[in-house]
Each structure stands twice: as C-alpha cells, then as structure tokens.
Amino acid sequence: MREILPALAQWHAAGIPFGLATVVAVSRSAPRGPGAAMAVGPDDEVVGSVSGGCVEGAVFELAQEVVASGEARLATFGYSDEDAFAVGLTCGGEITLLVRPVTPGSDPAFGAVAASVAGGEPVTVATVADGPAPRGATLVVWPDRAAGTLGANGLDVAVTADARGELALGASVLRHYGPHGERREDAVTVFLQSFAPPPRMLVFGAIDYAAAVARIGDFLGYRVTVCDARPVFATPKRFPAAVEVVVDWPHRYLAGADTDDRTVICVLTHDPKFDVPLLREALRRPAAYIGAMGSRKTHEERLARLKEAGLRQAELSRLRSPLGLDLGARTPEEVAVSVAAEIVALRWGGSGAPLTTTAGAIHPPAA
C-alpha cells in the first residue's frame, strides 16, 4: 500500500473515483501479507498487487464493480484443483480481500493519510470489513487526532484506542467488536492498517561494501544513514540519492541517534578504534539487528576488546559477526545480498536453508 499511495493520492486529489482492494487476512502459504493492495483507476489503470498475479484478473473486475455500485465487498480466494482455469491461488493458501470504492466524498481523509505516510508521520487506517457497521467505512487515527467514523460513537472510541496500540507496533491486523465497540463480541470486523515510519538502517564505514548495503537497504524500505569519520570517504556522490550521509565519529553519532526494535545496525569499519566504542554503544541500545564485518580472527579480537570494555555475555550474544549468511559472496553487491538475507531471515524467523531442503509452509504466519 505504501508504494502505491502516491498514485492513489493523485487520483483522489483530481476527484477521480477508484477501486481499492486490500488484503485483510491470509492463511497458510499466501503470497502476500495483510496490507498488500491493488487499485484500479482511470482508463482501467492498475497499480499494486495482492497475490503476485494469481487472482489479479478477478480483483480487477471486482474493483470495477464496486466503483460502479458504490458498495464495498469482501472476497476470499483459495486454491481449487477441480478446474485448472478456476480463479485461485496456485500456492495453496487463502487470502481475504476488502474491495471498496474510494472517492473524495466517501473518504475525505484519504489525501491526509497519503501526506502523513509521505512525511513519515505515523497513522492507522481502520476500515470496516464485515458486520452490521457500514462496510468500507474508514476511521483514520493519528497519535494525537482522528478523522472519519465507522458508524457508531462507541465503536469509534474502541477502535481508536486499539489503532494507537497497533500503530506503536507498526502492525496491521483484523479486530472484532460489538456494534457499539463491545470488546467481547465479534459482530463487526475491522481491519487496522498501520503506517509506521520506515525502520532505520545505520551503516558505519563508508567503504565499497557500505554503498552496496545502503542500496539494498533502501530497496528493502529502510531509511538508510551512512556514517564515517573520514570526510574523504563519506561523500553523498558515492551513495544513492535517498541515503543520508553523515561525517562524524560513529559512536558519537549513534549515541545521539534514535533507535528502536526495528533498527538495523551494520558495522563495516573493521577498525578497532571505530568498532569497539561503536559496538559498546550499539549493543546496549534497542535494535533488531547488529552485525559487524571482519574475518573470524578479527571477530575474536573484537570480542576480547569488547569484554575488556565491560560488555557482558548477554550483550555480546546480540552481535552477528561475521555478518551475513554463507552464500559464498565475494563482491560488495554479493555481500550486500548476504547481509540482507540474514536481516530478512532474522525478521521473519527464516532458517536460511534452501527451500528445496525444507518442509511445510513457504510463508508461515509471522510470529
């Protein structure tokens, strides 16, 4: 959804109605998760995807129908082996889509949502998926305000509270309520889609490998910062336009930076005068991933220095060094793929093993 919002915002600002299909629930090996979206706009233009191609044709028709009727619909697609040409998911999973019409009159806050996402302001969009409340009705919730209604004041109050909780986690989930927001009932199903600011990737050491890691971090949706104390290397020309480049001592910059449980820290300096004070700071603050480049000998020497600096074993166990998965990588670009693979595997609980050697669902439910 985040990727297609600029196009949708243009349609909305021009007063052009469009059909928006959003994945609200998945089961088993579904190709895309909750929040994936596809829209059909003027001249049958399509943006986004909900299944990677399996059911897009049927969703295209549904989107046209809801725009024509003005009524939202809930649709489920699963696997069927009865007819080779039946619409379904070849992966064997199941997805549930909410397909709704979006117009300036029915969804006046849509432009504000797009502006908040573009500006990095956290926001959650709550949409009625099923039940006695108006299907497709939206309530937009920011940390300090809200806009819209789901049709009942009590429901708005309960959903607003839950939306702010999910926003803090950056989660998108289905919630169930009574008609007036009763929490022990499940008459009304509401999809809460959170747009938290992109997670940060902090890359220390402005070397060739840093440029490759920064590129792949930007590709994965991270807000990337590269930091190095040497101005001759830390030049914006060496990095993608979207990457922030900072000239500062790494440990000093990190001490003043904001990190959270989604932050990725890649230490590529492999120089003790930079590594030790930097990792001492990194291993004592929130982060999803802390990796350091270097040989196994460098790693052992680094661990010894960090122990001398006072770090405990629990802190040292957070360090992934040498960073990356064993792909046999050689070039900076290949090493960047190796690092990205380890970050993704850690995020979703993947084993890093070839899929041909594993069993069970390819896309298991997220923990």
Side-chain angles (χ1 to χ4, degrees), residues 20 27 80 117 121 131 139 170 220 242 271 275 292 352 367:
L20 177 61
S27 67
S80 173
V117 174
E121 180 184 24
L139 173 68
L220 290 174
D271 183 331
D275 290 1

Side-chain angles (χ1 to χ4, degrees), residues 190-248:
V190 179
F191 181 58
L192 303 178
Q193 185 170 13
S194 298
F195 297 94
R200 299 196 69 184
M201 173 182 280
L202 305 178
V203 182
F204 294 97
I207 59 176
D208 299 5
Y209 294 93
V213 170
R215 284 195 297 272
I216 204 165
D218 178 55
F219 175 75
L220 290 174
Y222 286 92
R223 180 164 63 92
V224 183
T225 299
V226 175
C227 175
D228 197 304
R230 302 163 296 181
V232 67
F233 295 114
T235 61
K237 291 182 179 179
R238 302 182 65 221
F239 298 94
V243 173
E244 177 188 29
V245 180
V246 174
V247 178
D248 199 352

Side-chain angles (χ1 to χ4, degrees), residues 108-332:
F110 193 91
V113 172
S116 291
V117 174
E121 180 184 24
V123 60
T124 296
V125 179
T127 310
V128 175
D130 203 7
R135 180 176 288 163
T138 59
L139 173 68
V140 182
V141 181
W142 291 270
D144 58 350
R145 64 194 189 281
T149 180
L150 303 182
N153 183 64
L155 182 59
D156 289 346
V157 171
V159 170
T160 296
D162 288 348
R164 289 187 173 133
E166 299 301 338
L167 186 57
L169 299 173
S172 295
V173 298
L174 281 176
R175 293 283 191 180
H176 303 279
Y177 307 88
H180 299 284
E182 299 89 344
R183 295 185 180 277
R184 294 184 180 273
E185 299 183 24
D186 59 2
V188 181
T189 301
V190 179
F191 181 58
L192 303 178
Q193 185 170 13
S194 298
F195 297 94
R200 299 196 69 184
M201 173 182 280
L202 305 178
V203 182
F204 294 97
I207 59 176
D208 299 5
Y209 294 93
V213 170
R215 284 195 297 272
I216 204 165
D218 178 55
F219 175 75
L220 290 174
Y222 286 92
R223 180 164 63 92
V224 183
T225 299
V226 175
C227 175
D228 197 304
R230 302 163 296 181
V232 67
F233 295 114
T235 61
K237 291 182 179 179
R238 302 182 65 221
F239 298 94
V243 173
E244 177 188 29
V245 180
V246 174
V247 178
D248 199 352
W249 279 82
H251 72 281
R252 185 168 61 192
Y253 173 77
L254 183 58
D258 292 326
T259 66
D260 58 26
D261 292 336
R262 301 183 301 153
T263 302
V264 166
I265 299 174
C266 298
V267 179
L268 310 182
T269 49
H270 54 82
D271 183 331
K273 68 175 176 292
F274 295 125
D275 290 1
V276 173
L278 172 58
L279 287 170
R280 183 171 57 194
E281 175 68 31
L283 293 169
R284 289 174 170 171
R285 60 167 48 234
Y289 175 92
I290 303 170
M293 176 177 280
S295 66
R296 299 193 188 282
K297 179 180 179 182
T298 298
H299 172 63
E300 294 301 324
E301 294 174 349
R302 183 189 290 134
L303 282 180
R305 290 189 175 96
L306 289 171
K307 289 177 182 178
E308 291 175 2
L311 270 76
R312 302 185 301 274
Q313 185 57 42
E315 295 167 330
L316 294 173
S317 66
R318 301 178 63 201
L319 178 61
R320 292 180 171 265
S321 175
L323 81 177
L325 296 186
D326 180 13
L327 305 183
R330 294 291 188 273
T331 68

Side-chain angles (χ1 to χ4, degrees), residues 84-97:
F85 295 98
V87 173
L89 299 178
T90 57
C91 62
E94 184 176 276
I95 60 173
T96 299
L97 304 176

